[in-house]
Amino acid sequence: MRLLTLGTAAGGGVPQWNCACPGCAAARAEPALRRRHASIAVEAGGGRWYVVNATPDIGEQIEECAALHPGPGRRDTPVAGVILTDAELDHTLGVPRLREASGLRIVATGAVRAALSGGLRLDRVLAPYAGLSWTALPVRRPEALDGGPLEIQGIRISGKRPRYAADLEAEDDAWVVALRVRDRRDGKVLVYAPCLAGWPAGLDDALRDADCVFVDGTFWDDEEPRRAGFTERTATGMGHLPITGPGGTIDRLAALPAARRLYTHLNNTNRLVDPGDAGHRRLAAAGIEAAREGAVIEL
Ligand code: MLT
Ligand code: MN
Ligand code: ZN
């Protein structure tokens, strides 16, 4: 299986336009420290790629990866579509940026589709540009993606809704899922879980035989958002299990057999945005790493 790490930051990116925190200020001064919104691309056979979550940075993210560039025909693109793990704005605002397509394939749960159609009105807004064609992301059992070598499944994580979708009717409650991908060519398994409000038992099952896992690394510890002064809520209160401390995910990750264990969706307040921070040594000692921008991962 081939993956591209297109971005590794939580909503706002690093730097965030209205933030002068140390992480944002450092990234403003040193472009190598910048992080785009969290997203990966997965090769789905025959040189076709699916982008997992469509961020506000998707245009630049595609430009930075030669494998995603158009050609050989003037309007040929290797980007076959978008798979969504949730309907948060940082994972969906890239959909309208792709409106120059002749049509756009979106793979999502019923709840996420309801948010994009009923909440963001993207079906109506985009119809005169590029019609959206929807494929249900299977949550009960894996299914082949486009009849190709990848089997995909959404692992239910939580019913955490985006703030704009607080009152929306939806046909299911799979608001946030982890994406599990199995490549039938080599049996390799990827799990991409950028938004963890909790750690359901189904996630342990999905991770047991995974070769590569990307996990929500938004906050280093539960108090970080309050300490940073931008909210009264804790990390857990914001729907993100912290990396360390009570309820932290680091010990769970450390116990997994996966060869690659990565934190992604880092908030700009997270100490890990500083490459010299001792937190990286703590991760390394547990066999874990912070995901890097633009990395190519071959499983
Ligand atoms: C999240 O990851 O919790 C959301 O993207 C935050 C938001 O509402 O912007
Ligand atoms: Mn987010
Ligand atoms: Zn900041």
Side-chain angles (χ1 to χ4, degrees):
M1 195 187 308
R2 281 196 89 192
L3 319 173
L4 305 171
T5 307
L6 303 181
T8 60
V14 190
Q16 178 176 313
W17 68 279
N18 64 345
C19 190
C21 78
C24 288
R28 214 164 264 125
E30 173 48 63
L33 299 180
R34 292 179 180 223
R35 288 178 182 265
R36 292 195 166 122
H37 288 96
S39 173
I40 59 169
V42 185
E43 198 262 333
R48 298 163 69 254
W49 293 81
Y50 271 84
V51 174
V52 185
N53 294 335
T55 87
D57 301 319
I58 195 165
E60 291 77 21
Q61 289 172 321
I62 288 172
E63 282 310 312
E64 264 178 33
C65 290
L68 304 182
H69 288 175
R74 192 169 286 197
R75 286 292 168 96
D76 290 344
T77 171
V79 178
V82 173
I83 303 173
L84 299 176
T85 59
D86 54 73
E88 293 290 345
L89 292 175
D90 53 340
H91 294 162
T92 55
L93 286 179
V95 171
R97 269 200 87 177
L98 300 179
R99 67 189 175 281
E100 293 83 6
S102 49
L104 210 46
R105 161 70 76 82
I106 309 225
V107 184
T109 65
V112 170
R113 178 176 178 173
L116 268 66
S117 319
L120 299 180
R121 302 250 170 209
L122 287 185
D123 274 307
R124 270 177 68 177
V125 168
L126 293 178
Y129 304 86
L132 300 184
S133 85
W134 294 91
T135 299
L137 176 57
V139 289
R140 288 180 207 286
R141 63 189 70 81
E143 286 176 18
L145 178 61
D146 298 343
L150 299 187
E151 290 172 351
I152 60 168
Q153 183 180 5
I155 309 299
R156 282 169 193 272
I157 298 296
S158 76
K160 181 195 169 194
R161 293 165 173 244
R163 286 179 265 174
Y164 69 82
D167 304 319
L168 220 61
E169 300 268 343
E171 70 190 56
D172 64 46
D173 66 348
W175 286 96
V176 177
V177 298
L179 176 69
R180 183 181 147 95
V181 183
R182 182 175 174 276
D183 191 330
R184 282 192 288 212
R185 293 168 294 193
D186 53 17
K188 299 286 185 179
V189 172
L190 157 76
V191 176
Y192 186 71
C195 183
L196 291 179
W199 192 288
L203 182 57
D204 279 321
D205 296 338
L207 291 171
R208 200 155 287 136
D209 63 346
D211 298 280
C212 178
V213 305
F214 284 85
V215 166
D216 183 341
T218 312
F219 299 113
W220 178 259
D221 64 79
D222 209 30
E223 286 296 323
E224 178 186 324
R226 294 215 280 223
R227 217 168 39 240
F230 65 88
T231 175
E232 284 304 309
R233 290 182 295 168
T234 60
T236 314
M238 293 179 70
H240 296 287
L241 293 180
I243 295 174
T244 62
T249 53
I250 188 168
D251 295 332
R252 291 181 186 272
L253 247 67
L256 294 176
R260 299 293 300 269
R261 288 161 276 173
L262 307 104
Y263 279 115
T264 190
H265 195 270
L266 306 188
N267 196 58
N268 48 62
T269 52
N270 190 322
R271 55 191 280 184
L272 294 175
V273 304
D274 174 358
D277 187 89
H280 291 282
R281 289 197 288 284
R282 176 142 176 223
L283 295 191
I288 306 167
E289 54 197 305
R292 280 188 304 107
E293 300 278 296
V296 179
I297 297 183
E298 302 265 3
L299 297 182

